[in-house]
Amino acid sequence: FVCVADYLLGISDLGGELMRYSLNMLAAGYREVPVQVCSFLRRMHSVFEQLSDNARSLYRDWGKKLNTLVQCLEKVEKHLYDIHLRHAEFADVMSPEQLAELLARRCNSDSSSSSSSSS
């Protein structure tokens, strides 16, 4: 048996895993996956916000978990925005392979910096 609090707090941890998955897929050249992850995280955040008033009084870690979910969502959104900008900026002067390599380097450097800061 899993109590509701543990279940919801566990589901909130999914945000970090999806963020890492999204960045890895982005670095590998799969652009559609991060868009889908971003959409899912936005819906998840919306539902968690609706639960927020009741949950904060019941679960002491709720605010922290919600903030972490927001940070994960913002990071995915930032990378999607960055890709859009880089593509618009360099599409005329770089081959698709060069652009993909630039984006992969960017994702890998951000991914490794977040891993070291979370340790």
Side-chain angles (χ1 to χ4, degrees), residues 42-86:
R42 284 178 181 152
R43 287 191 309 257
M44 189 172 159
H45 176 257
S46 175
V47 169
F48 275 42
E49 277 290 315
Q50 292 172 9
L51 296 172
S52 193
D53 290 338
N54 292 333
R56 281 185 203 277
S57 62
L58 296 174
Y59 319 120
R60 63 181 173 81
D61 292 335
W62 187 261
K64 182 179 172 185
K65 293 288 188 172
L66 189 58
N67 288 338
T68 301
L69 177 61
V70 168
Q71 290 172 349
C72 293
L73 173 58
E74 289 173 347
K75 189 165 189 173
V76 172
E77 288 175 333
K78 176 186 160 279
H79 278 84
L80 288 172
Y81 182 69
D82 191 44
I83 283 178
H84 181 75
L85 286 180
R86 296 299 162 251

Side-chain angles (χ1 to χ4, degrees), residues 91-108:
D92 294 340
V93 295
M94 290 183 148
S95 70
E97 294 81 18
Q98 290 171 319
L99 186 58
E101 179 62 29
L102 172 73
L103 296 173
R105 280 196 314 266
R106 172 66 188 229
C107 289
N108 287 332

